[in-house]
Amino acid sequence: MGKSEYLKDPNNYDKGDKKLAFERYAEDLFLDENALDGKKILDVGSNIPLFRDYLEGKYPETKVINIDQEFNTSLDAQALAEHLPFADNSFDLIVAHSSLTGWGIYENVEQILQEFIRVLRPNGEIRIGPIMIDDDTDLGEEQRKTITKNKDIVNKLKNLHVISSVEYLRIPRVIGKKNIQIYCLVIKK
């Protein structure tokens, strides 16, 4: 078994790894563990389902569906974020942890968000993060354009009343000697 196959098999991780994975999600996406009890959650780009294994192990009424564009036997489905194989209004929460954080590189951000909204139940939430941005002084022109474009897409969806609210939650961090702003985009239907 090669290293990548080993890393993709959830049986090679212990309870501590699963808890640590959950804690990373919780910190980066501002998740309240107790509020996830009994929810149906879509984890986009999860690759290794430690978040699912931790939550479902602790809260039997919680259901987490893991998808990624790359095939992995521990996933629930192989799918692209812009073509989700689920019925409308299927999920209470959609999380994209470290999978869409470079969402400026995706030409189809609007299509991905519309697909997320389609499968999200009324009053549900989408949480995308961590989105890391260097202090504004370090932003290049291309990065500024991408950020503006994506904010415009989210605001357009809000103005069309497709979503009810948008928040950008922020965690300032220092990585090395750089000031980094880490954001979590929260969209409510």
Side-chain angles (χ1 to χ4, degrees), residues 35 111 121 133 136 153 162 188:
Q111 185 179 357
R121 291 179 178 152
I133 300 174
D136 282 350
I153 290 169
V162 175
K188 295 182 183 180

Side-chain angles (χ1 to χ4, degrees), residues 56-73:
E56 289 182 357
K58 189 164 182 182
Y59 302 105
E61 298 299 313
T62 299
K63 179 69 178 156
V64 180
I65 305 294
N66 291 73
I67 67 162
D68 200 298
Q69 65 184 6
E70 293 183 28
F71 179 73
N72 178 337
T73 56

Side-chain angles (χ1 to χ4, degrees), residues 30-184:
F30 296 83
L31 296 172
D32 174 4
E33 180 176 340
N34 296 325
L36 301 176
D37 187 11
K39 301 288 185 197
K40 188 170 180 189
I41 302 167
L42 177 63
D43 187 358
V44 178
S46 54
N47 198 350
I48 303 168
L50 299 177
F51 174 74
R52 174 193 69 195
D53 293 349
Y54 174 80
L55 273 179
E56 289 182 357
K58 189 164 182 182
Y59 302 105
E61 298 299 313
T62 299
K63 179 69 178 156
V64 180
I65 305 294
N66 291 73
I67 67 162
D68 200 298
Q69 65 184 6
E70 293 183 28
F71 179 73
N72 178 337
T73 56
S74 63
L75 295 174
D76 298 300
Q78 179 182 7
L80 295 173
E82 58 268 41
H83 301 290
L84 297 173
F86 306 107
D88 296 357
N89 305 313
S90 295
F91 298 96
D92 300 300
L93 174 66
I94 298 173
V95 295
H97 183 263
S98 297
S99 57
L100 296 178
T101 54
W103 66 322
I105 64 171
Y106 299 98
E107 290 296 319
N108 48 358
V109 169
E110 187 169 1
Q111 185 179 357
I112 290 170
L113 289 176
Q114 287 177 340
E115 191 66 355
F116 284 3
I117 291 163
R118 180 186 67 77
V119 300
L120 190 65
R121 291 179 178 152
N123 301 313
E125 287 186 355
I126 301 164
R127 291 184 178 240
I128 300 170
I131 301 167
M132 294 185 212
I133 300 174
D134 292 350
D135 255 349
D136 282 350
T137 56
D138 294 330
L139 286 179
E141 187 60 31
E142 200 57 38
Q143 195 176 15
R144 285 183 202 280
K145 285 180 185 176
T146 299
I147 291 167
T148 300
K149 175 187 157 203
N150 291 333
K151 283 184 176 180
D152 289 346
I153 290 169
V154 170
N155 287 332
K156 174 183 165 188
L157 294 172
K158 188 169 187 321
N159 291 337
L160 291 172
H161 304 288
V162 175
I163 55 180
S164 65
S165 70
V166 177
E167 288 181 83
Y168 292 91
L169 305 177
R170 181 175 68 96
I171 310 168
R173 288 196 184 142
V174 176
I175 299 176
K177 294 184 178 183
K178 275 193 143 185
N179 291 320
I180 304 289
Q181 303 300 319
I182 298 181
Y183 291 87
C184 172

